[in-house]
Amino acid sequence: MIILKPTNALQTIQFIGRYDLCDTLVLRDEQDNTEVTLYADFELNKYYLSADIIFDLREDRFYNLTAYKSLKSDYKVRVESEGGIVEGFSCVDNYDIDRVIVYRDKIFCTSQDNYSINNGGYTQKSSNNNYITY
């Protein structure tokens, strides 16, 4: 789970994705079931994809996060790897149609510092069940 703050400042989000590219985030508010699409330039740092984004989140709410890579990312990497410069994406029609899921997670928005989901409390269950394996 990713913890973010309810602020209009830049916040860094990072994760290890299925692919080395990402350009689109879709956030779905679990309370009112609305979706917001955010576009960002993610950088690959070791194994982590990271980006600085301004989120518009409400405090004490959960959001479902889905990160995608689209043809736009593949196009940009291919052109730049061949020494070219990307001036626009008008030649890549419908790049949102052919997008692939890179990462999924849940976001919780809180203004608390050092927020922990279980507040440091972990209880270990003990059992008297004896079983035999062969």
Side-chain angles (χ1 to χ4, degrees), residues 21 23 69-79:
L21 299 171
D23 59 14
K69 83 173 181 96
S70 64
L71 288 177
K72 180 176 119 177
S73 295
D74 292 334
Y75 174 76
K76 181 178 177 186
V77 168
R78 184 179 57 83
V79 169

Side-chain angles (χ1 to χ4, degrees), residues 33-47:
N33 204 27
T34 57
E35 283 189 357
V36 175
T37 302
L38 304 170
Y39 299 99
D41 291 325
F42 280 83
E43 294 181 3
L44 184 64
N45 185 5
K46 296 190 180 177
Y47 296 106

Side-chain angles (χ1 to χ4, degrees), residues 108-119:
F108 182 62
C109 180
T110 182
S111 60
Q112 297 178 19
D113 291 329
N114 299 324
Y115 180 81
S116 175
I117 295 169
N118 58 2
N119 294 327

Side-chain angles (χ1 to χ4, degrees), residues 4-9 11 27 29 32 34-36 38 53-59 61 63 107 109:
L4 294 176
K5 300 216 177 276
T7 179
N8 290 333
Q11 297 186 69
L27 298 175
D29 188 338
D32 60 8
T34 57
E35 283 189 357
V36 175
L38 304 170
I53 304 171
I54 297 176
F55 294 94
D56 184 22
L57 305 175
R58 294 185 184 175
E59 189 168 3
R61 289 215 181 169
Y63 297 86
I107 293 175
C109 180

